[in-house]
Amino acid sequence: MRLEKCYFCSSTVYPGHGIMFVRNDAKQFRFCRSKCHKNFKMKRNPRKVKWTKAFRKAAGKEMVVDGALDMERRRNVPVRYDRNLMMTTLTAMKKISEIRAKRERVFYKSRVISKKRTAEKTAMLKHVKMNMELVPTATRKRLEESKILGQKVQNEDVEMA
Amino acid sequence: MGRLRKKRNHHGIRDIKRKVSTKNRTKDIDQICDDLKPENIDKWKNQAFDLDLPGQGQHYCVECARYFINDTSMQEHLKSKVHRRRVKELRDGPYTQKDAEEAVGLKTDNGERSRNKMEL
């Protein structure tokens, strides 16, 4: 029994799921579900379809270079059964998947949440700049001195006076 | 066994159903990339006279995998958007199962060759 990767979306195809299409040149294409199969029949390029792993990696939405990713390999050489090896492999697999999940969460945080924070901050500063009349004089002085909003604010003040 | 009624197969949408059915399959991008390789391209550029093909198989666009009835129609096609879009798509290279696996970081480990075999 082997767990294959779907040709289109790169998700794991478990036994009893999906379809395998064999082309006239004997190439096999495995699909995890009919969604991927239908997209393939429509000749869509997986690199351009937003929800596939191929697109996400190419667009930098998911981490590409990582030690934890290197651990999963397809082994074409059969290994003689050894109970100790089995036990250590199972515990290692669990640990590695935990580490990988943690690292992916960190990557997501640095990509999405920090960007969101900076976007919010710039939006807020813009809002303050536009409505400078409403800002109390003490705070306005502080803002001008610290130059958070830039030189433009001071000029506007002079014109209005 | 009786007629099996399949679901979710673009039933009732005639043009999509015909385009997508396996018996009407056209060449995939990776097959065309294979055709464009220098060792294979000569075979496609110089095809034998075949009365069944449009234009007797003499005017074939390799990128689009299409036969044309004469040279003028083929030249017109080579200037068209469809052809130019296909050429652009082919420039990126084929998408293979290997790309799908690399997207999730799955590599292949073929083991090390044992020294004994080398000695023999």
Side-chain angles (χ1 to χ4, degrees):
Chain A
M1 181 192 85
R2 249 191 187 175
L3 299 178
E4 303 284 352
K5 298 292 176 198
C6 173
Y7 171 88
F8 201 82
C9 66
S10 310
S11 68
T12 327
V13 187
Y14 285 92
H17 287 261
I19 287 178
M20 176 167 75
F21 169 64
V22 184
R23 208 166 52 182
N24 279 348
D25 56 354
K27 277 213 176 84
Q28 299 172 352
F29 299 89
R30 285 188 168 81
F31 306 104
C32 57
R33 56 199 195 279
S34 64
K35 178 179 183 180
C36 302
H37 186 38
K38 293 227 180 90
N39 272 293
F40 173 78
K41 282 198 282 182
M42 281 194 264
K43 295 192 189 285
R44 287 199 179 150
N45 189 352
R47 286 197 201 111
K48 292 193 169 173
V49 179
K50 296 255 157 74
W51 48 270
T52 57
K53 287 287 184 191
F55 173 86
R56 301 203 96 223
K57 292 286 159 129
K61 309 265 180 197
E62 277 182 28
M63 62 179 189
V64 186
V65 187
D66 194 50
L69 294 174
D70 253 355
M71 292 281 156
E72 188 181 358
R73 296 217 173 186
R74 165 186 284 124
R75 296 197 201 253
N76 289 325
V77 180
V79 178
R80 179 160 280 146
Y81 180 76
D82 175 28
R83 185 154 200 268
N84 294 328
L85 181 65
M86 274 301 125
M87 300 302 280
T88 48
T89 314
L90 285 170
T91 48
M93 274 166 74
K94 203 171 181 187
K95 191 104 204 288
I96 288 165
S97 60
E98 275 171 29
I99 293 169
R100 185 174 166 171
K102 207 191 287 183
R103 287 189 188 177
E104 282 178 352
R105 236 178 293 140
V106 167
F107 186 88
Y108 174 78
K109 220 174 171 183
S110 72
R111 183 174 74 83
V112 175
I113 294 175
S114 73
K115 269 194 194 163
K116 196 174 160 191
R117 295 262 166 78
T118 50
E120 278 174 0
K121 192 178 176 190
T122 44
M124 279 195 264
L125 284 174
K126 192 180 174 188
H127 193 72
V128 167
K129 223 180 179 181
M130 285 203 295
N131 304 312
M132 272 310 271
E133 328 84 71
L134 301 171
V135 179
T137 14
T139 329
R140 203 191 296 186
K141 270 199 183 142
R142 184 166 59 83
L143 284 169
E144 285 167 21
E145 277 165 27
S146 61
K147 292 189 182 153
I148 292 172
L149 299 169
Q151 297 288 66
K152 219 182 177 182
V153 177
Q154 289 176 327
N155 292 337
E156 280 176 31
D157 267 351
V158 170
E159 278 168 39
M160 284 176 79
Chain B
M1 196 168 177
R3 201 195 96 211
L4 295 166
R5 191 193 176 284
K6 290 193 282 186
K7 277 188 183 181
R8 301 191 296 158
N9 53 358
H10 302 287
H11 169 71
I13 307 165
R14 193 200 215 192
D15 46 342
I16 294 178
K17 190 169 77 171
R18 286 177 175 183
K19 189 171 74 169
V20 146
S21 64
T22 316
K23 68 177 178 180
N24 292 331
R25 244 186 114 63
T26 47
K27 279 202 167 170
D28 287 327
I29 297 286
D30 55 317
Q31 280 174 312
I32 295 175
C33 284
D34 260 343
D35 285 346
L36 286 171
K37 285 184 188 159
E39 55 261 25
N40 297 330
I41 198 167
D42 292 323
K43 191 176 72 144
W44 294 106
K45 294 269 186 195
N46 312 313
Q47 290 181 43
F49 249 82
D50 185 354
L51 291 167
D52 292 327
L53 293 171
Q56 291 85 51
Q58 296 308 299
H59 313 286
Y60 179 70
C61 174
V62 191
E63 288 90 355
C64 307
R66 264 182 75 181
Y67 289 97
F68 294 94
I69 51 166
N70 51 32
D71 197 46
T72 37
S73 62
M74 181 157 160
Q75 293 305 318
E76 217 178 283
H77 162 77
L78 292 177
K79 286 185 268 176
S80 71
K81 260 192 201 170
V82 178
H83 178 78
R84 278 187 270 144
R85 213 182 288 154
R86 179 57 77 92
V87 171
K88 195 175 172 192
E89 220 183 319
L90 288 165
R91 230 187 300 148
D92 299 328
Y95 177 87
T96 55
Q97 180 70 34
K98 203 152 176 279
D99 289 323
E101 285 165 10
E102 262 170 39
V104 265
L106 181 68
K107 295 190 177 75
T108 313
D109 175 12
N110 284 319
E112 292 168 11
R113 285 186 161 273
S114 61
R115 283 188 186 271
N116 293 332
K117 280 193 179 174
M118 299 279 271
E119 283 172 331
L120 279 170

